[in-house]
């Protein structure tokens, strides 16, 4: 548990992350994701509870935990006046790597993160995306057994995001355990072995992506109407076939409703829309997405801003340490 004044940022978060797997931590802004990461990485001390990371009690032996983890926070933590190469070499030497080994590892990471051409420029001349990649590279200098990535791809373009996904896959295939918070639902869908949905400081659902989607239930009919004035009538039609409320995106003229019945029902929907004189631009049947899971569990779609727990960040300046757990083969618990 962790509180900041009257705000209960964590209210009994319980997580188990087996070694060599990825846990995706999802939730709306302010749900407790970053506070959880700060507690597990010794940056914030919980008010109560137990945390074990890589077999080490976080509260009793924080220094030992720090030697076993890597952390990439929401904001790039690089020295603006050092070059990209110097930043990485400095991190290596802080981890007591020999100078030659630190130089070699820095060169390897600069190449891996497409920063080799800018390696000898001061970090203050880097774009936001380049700083983000440099920060991620710094977190991987010593290839720690447990990694924490707090919204690691925020600010990256699609190509660099895909490259980072490949880096993460390589890390995990090599035995690294990863706790990943993300605002991109497709990222969790793509990378996470298990997903925990957090809201108001509690885990409200946990399972694989398929399990969470199955829990949301059924299929969805999506319809894009040609004329915006037909939206209300189209909603009325879909309600007649749906197993829940229809959601409406006014700007795209798209309606979505959960259904059962498959292709046969889709044909009936098309006939009814045609009978009502509603012209459509597109219609289809799809499985639930993680966005549907968010909508079902939290009452609203996933956030798209990379903010999360302002209270936790402000309080972290005053406090300083941790929260999480492990057991046997669980790297984080």
């Amino acid at each position: 548990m962790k509180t900041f004044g009257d705000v209960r940022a964590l209210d009994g978060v319980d997580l188990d992350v087996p070694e060599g797997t990825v846990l995706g931590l999802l939730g709306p802004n302010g749900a407790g994701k970053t506070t959880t990461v700060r507690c597990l990485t010794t940056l914030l001390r919980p008010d109560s509870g137990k945390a074990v990371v890589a077999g080490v009690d976080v509260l009793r032996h924080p220094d030992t935990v720090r030697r076993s983890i890597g952390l990439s926070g929401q904001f790039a933590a690089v020295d603006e006046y050092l070059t990209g190469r110097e930043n990485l070499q400095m991190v290596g030497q802080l981890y007591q790597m020999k100078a030659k080994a630190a130089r070699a590892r820095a060169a390897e990471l600069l190449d891996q993160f497409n920063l080799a051409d800018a390696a000898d420029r001061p970090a203050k001349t880097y774009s936001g995306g380049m700083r983000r990649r440099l920060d991620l590279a710094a977190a991987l200098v010593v290839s720690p057994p447990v990694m924490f990535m707090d919204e690691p791809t925020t600010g990256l373009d699609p190509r660099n995001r895909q490259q980072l996904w490949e880096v993460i896959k390589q890390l995990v295939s090599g035995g690294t355990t990863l706790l990943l918070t993300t605002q991109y639902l497709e990222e969790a869908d793509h990378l996470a072995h298990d997903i925990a949905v957090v809201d108001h400081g509690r885990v409200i659902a946990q399972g694989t992506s398929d399990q969470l989607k199955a829990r949301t239930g059924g299929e969805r009919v999506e319809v894009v109407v040609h004329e915006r004035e037909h939206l209300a009538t189209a909603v009325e039609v879909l309600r007649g076939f749906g197993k829940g409320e229809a959601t409406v995106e006014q700007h795209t003229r798209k309606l979505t409703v959960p259904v059962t019945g498959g292709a046969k029902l889709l044909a009936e929907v098309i006939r009814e829309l045609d009978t009502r004189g509603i012209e459509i631009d597109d219609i289809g049947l799809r499985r639930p997405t993680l966005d549907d899971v968010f909508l079902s569990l939290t009452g609203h779609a996933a956030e798209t801003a990379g903010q999360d727990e302002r209270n936790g960040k402000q309080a972290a300046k005053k406090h300083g340490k941790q929260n999480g757990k492990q057991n046997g083969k669980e790297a984080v618990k």
Side-chain angles (χ1 to χ4, degrees), residues 145-225:
V146 179
M147 276 291 303
F148 294 86
M149 293 187 175
D150 195 6
E151 298 187 4
T153 60
T154 298
L156 298 185
D157 60 42
R159 182 172 65 89
N160 283 312
R161 187 175 300 135
Q162 288 282 349
Q163 288 174 342
L164 178 60
W165 288 0
E166 291 306 311
V167 171
I168 289 173
K169 286 180 179 177
Q170 291 170 15
L171 281 171
V172 176
S173 66
T176 299
T177 304
L178 173 63
L179 190 148
L180 169 78
T181 79
T182 178
Q183 59 179 314
Y184 300 111
L185 296 179
E186 73 274 17
E187 186 162 270
D189 217 349
H190 191 75
L191 295 174
H193 297 90
D194 209 25
I195 295 170
V197 182
V198 181
D199 200 15
H200 296 101
R202 289 179 174 272
V203 176
I204 59 174
Q206 186 165 359
T208 66
S209 176
D210 285 342
Q211 287 170 343
L212 291 176
K213 291 173 186 176
R215 175 173 170 171
T216 304
E219 300 164 307
R220 266 69 179 153
V221 168
E222 284 187 346
V223 179
V224 179
V225 301

Side-chain angles (χ1 to χ4, degrees), residues 2-9 30 34-35 38 44 307-319:
K2 182 65 185 177
T3 59
F4 302 107
D6 295 332
V7 178
R8 186 167 288 191
T34 294
T35 301
R38 287 178 175 274
L44 203 59
Q307 171 212 340
D308 201 22
E309 293 102 45
R310 285 183 188 165
N311 289 332
K313 288 177 185 168
Q314 291 168 354
K317 295 176 183 177
K318 301 176 185 176
H319 299 71

Side-chain angles (χ1 to χ4, degrees), residues 12-332:
V13 172
D14 189 8
L15 302 172
D16 294 331
V17 187
E19 289 181 1
T21 67
V22 180
L23 174 69
L25 201 60
L26 305 183
N29 287 340
K33 303 185 300 296
T34 294
T35 301
T36 299
V37 169
R38 287 178 175 274
C39 287
L40 286 167
T41 55
T42 79
L43 296 174
L44 203 59
R45 188 178 184 90
D47 301 323
S48 62
K50 184 180 180 182
V52 179
V53 174
V56 181
D57 189 301
V58 177
L59 298 173
R60 294 182 179 180
H61 307 290
D63 290 340
T64 304
V65 169
R66 292 181 195 121
R67 286 193 288 269
S68 302
I69 65 173
L71 169 64
S72 177
Q74 279 189 8
F75 303 99
V78 298
D79 189 316
E80 293 189 342
Y81 294 95
L82 297 180
T83 65
R85 190 186 309 278
E86 289 167 343
N87 265 285
L88 297 183
Q89 288 178 190
M90 177 185 68
V91 171
Q93 290 180 300
L94 286 172
Y95 274 101
Q96 300 182 344
M97 293 175 67
K98 292 185 178 179
K100 184 177 180 181
R103 284 195 300 271
R105 181 60 175 157
E108 180 184 345
L109 289 166
L110 288 164
D111 186 58
Q112 188 174 19
F113 283 88
N114 293 320
L115 291 169
D117 290 343
D120 298 309
R121 279 170 38 197
K124 66 180 179 179
T125 67
Y126 285 15
S127 67
M130 291 170 70
R131 290 189 194 196
R132 192 70 181 131
R133 294 188 337 252
L134 181 62
D135 181 66
L136 291 166
L140 298 173
V141 167
V142 293
S143 301
V146 179
M147 276 291 303
F148 294 86
M149 293 187 175
D150 195 6
E151 298 187 4
T153 60
T154 298
L156 298 185
D157 60 42
R159 182 172 65 89
N160 283 312
R161 187 175 300 135
Q162 288 282 349
Q163 288 174 342
L164 178 60
W165 288 0
E166 291 306 311
V167 171
I168 289 173
K169 286 180 179 177
Q170 291 170 15
L171 281 171
V172 176
S173 66
T176 299
T177 304
L178 173 63
L179 190 148
L180 169 78
T181 79
T182 178
Q183 59 179 314
Y184 300 111
L185 296 179
E186 73 274 17
E187 186 162 270
D189 217 349
H190 191 75
L191 295 174
H193 297 90
D194 209 25
I195 295 170
V197 182
V198 181
D199 200 15
H200 296 101
R202 289 179 174 272
V203 176
I204 59 174
Q206 186 165 359
T208 66
S209 176
D210 285 342
Q211 287 170 343
L212 291 176
K213 291 173 186 176
R215 175 173 170 171
T216 304
E219 300 164 307
R220 266 69 179 153
V221 168
E222 284 187 346
V223 179
V224 179
V225 301
H226 186 67
E227 300 290 345
R228 186 167 277 105
E229 56 263 30
H230 288 158
L231 278 171
T233 308
V235 167
E236 184 182 330
V237 171
L238 290 181
R239 279 183 182 148
F241 293 96
K243 298 298 181 183
E245 277 300 307
T247 59
V248 181
E249 295 178 14
Q250 293 280 348
H251 63 293
T252 59
R253 307 183 309 283
K254 184 169 78 173
L255 299 89
T256 306
V257 65
V259 299
T260 57
K264 182 180 177 181
L265 179 134
L266 185 63
E268 292 175 7
V269 172
I270 294 171
R271 279 195 296 270
E272 183 64 22
L273 289 169
D274 186 55
T275 299
R276 296 286 195 101
I278 301 171
E279 187 178 351
I280 60 174
D281 290 341
D282 194 18
I283 188 167
L285 193 67
R286 64 166 176 80
R287 294 182 61 215
T289 65
L290 284 180
D291 220 348
D292 296 320
V293 173
F294 259 90
L295 197 58
S296 172
L297 293 173
T298 68
H300 52 82
E303 305 288 352
T304 56
Q307 171 212 340
D308 201 22
E309 293 102 45
R310 285 183 188 165
N311 289 332
K313 288 177 185 168
Q314 291 168 354
K317 295 176 183 177
K318 301 176 185 176
H319 299 71
K321 287 183 175 99
Q322 60 263 77
N323 180 351
K325 293 181 187 173
Q326 168 195 6
N327 201 350
K329 293 210 169 183
E330 281 149 358
V332 178

